Amino acid sequence: MPGAAIVIGAGPGLGLSLIRRFAREGLSVGFVARRAEAVAGYQRALDAEGLDTLGLVADAADPESLRAALDELQSRHGAPKLAVYNAAIIEPSRFVTPSGIDEARYADAPGWRARGEPMDEDALVESFRANVAGALTLARHVTPDMIARRRGTLILTGGVLAFGPWIEWAGVSLGKAALRSLGHSLALELAPKGVQVATVAIHGTMARGTPYDPDLVAGAYWEIHRRPAPDWTPDVHFKADEADGADPDR
């Protein structure tokens, strides 16, 4: 039976792969990103592929902005049966000492410029809004309908950083650990009401043509959504090799 899905945090990697995978499975997919030009470009590409999608501009770190976008998506597509929180501020940083690198670059993925100076309190709160609080905004918006139907899936994009911080990724590590805790709390609340909540820990850097190709990761998200209730777990590890997940900057 067709239905709707929502992806918060559309980007050229995993975000677009998720949108395409869900749409190709027959869902009407709404997606959200911060930059208007990016949303317009993604929409043109998806329309050219004949996929049923709708992109809106909103800031996941701003509850009012995100709620307005979610209201619009729900009015167009109906209540989603699947929602993914994929938004984050990804920036190499430390808390007290300056970054030891100018840029983090792994595999063939684009690099990330380091903050340089230590992350102060204001930057930490800003990052927490995008990395964690936006996921709560999404959950509070979409899960009441899922509870009413006793069916639905909420997936949070986590990372191996949730299980142990990397030296150049202090802010992101803190955010992913908090996001995982939020996911576990939501799973405890919602599983008895028929709603699945899972946080995906991705143990490698996503890059096309690798074991961490975004299309492969998106396929894993779809399989999570299809799991029967006896197989639900709050943590899902996407790990190509047992050695994956160590801090490369040590």
Side-chain angles (χ1 to χ4, degrees):
M1 179 181 295
I6 289 175
V7 176
I8 305 301
L14 179 58
L16 269 179
S17 290
L18 290 169
I19 295 163
R20 286 189 169 105
R21 179 59 187 260
F22 299 162
R24 288 168 181 163
E25 294 291 346
L27 300 181
S28 300
V29 185
F31 64 92
V32 170
R34 283 191 303 172
R35 295 187 302 111
E37 62 272 25
V39 171
Y42 301 151
Q43 191 68 72
R44 285 192 297 271
L46 294 163
D47 288 348
E49 296 169 29
L51 300 176
D52 181 8
T53 68
L54 174 63
L56 296 178
V57 178
D59 185 351
D62 179 347
E64 185 175 342
S65 170
L66 182 54
R67 283 194 292 264
L70 291 168
D71 284 339
E72 174 66 16
L73 291 175
Q74 185 159 326
S75 72
R76 296 282 293 272
H77 290 160
K81 61 172 60 175
L82 168 60
V84 175
Y85 192 79
N86 188 55
I89 293 177
I90 307 296
E91 178 185 60
S93 61
R94 298 186 184 189
F95 286 135
V96 177
T97 60
S99 295
I101 58 174
D102 294 324
E103 181 183 56
R105 181 179 290 274
Y106 315 116
D108 295 326
W112 297 269
R113 290 290 301 171
R115 169 172 286 271
E117 291 305 307
M119 176 178 275
D120 62 17
E121 294 85 350
D122 289 340
L124 178 60
V125 171
E126 178 186 359
S127 130
F128 193 88
R129 287 194 185 101
N131 293 354
V132 185
L136 178 58
T137 303
L138 174 65
R140 288 172 59 85
H141 196 284
V142 302
T143 58
D145 285 300
M146 294 178 178
I147 291 169
R149 298 192 309 267
R150 294 198 62 83
R151 181 181 180 186
T153 304
L154 174 64
I155 303 177
L156 312 178
T157 296
V160 66
L161 298 170
F163 299 87
W166 292 6
I167 189 169
E168 296 296 351
W169 294 91
V172 181
S173 296
L174 183 66
K176 292 303 184 186
L179 184 69
R180 176 175 179 257
S181 182
L182 174 64
H184 274 246
S185 294
L186 290 171
L188 289 171
E189 285 187 53
L190 299 177
K193 301 180 183 301
V195 180
Q196 176 184 197
V197 182
T199 304
V200 181
I202 301 169
H203 283 249
T205 301
M206 283 182 285
R208 300 286 176 189
T210 74
Y212 291 94
D213 189 300
D215 288 347
L216 296 177
V217 181
Y221 278 55
W222 180 250
E223 293 306 316
I224 291 168
H225 173 58
R226 296 177 67 247
R227 294 188 302 183
D231 294 339
W232 291 357
T233 55
D235 284 318
V236 176
H237 292 265
F238 189 95
K239 191 170 187 177
D241 186 270
E242 283 303 311
D244 291 347
D247 185 348
D249 295 316
R250 288 193 181 277

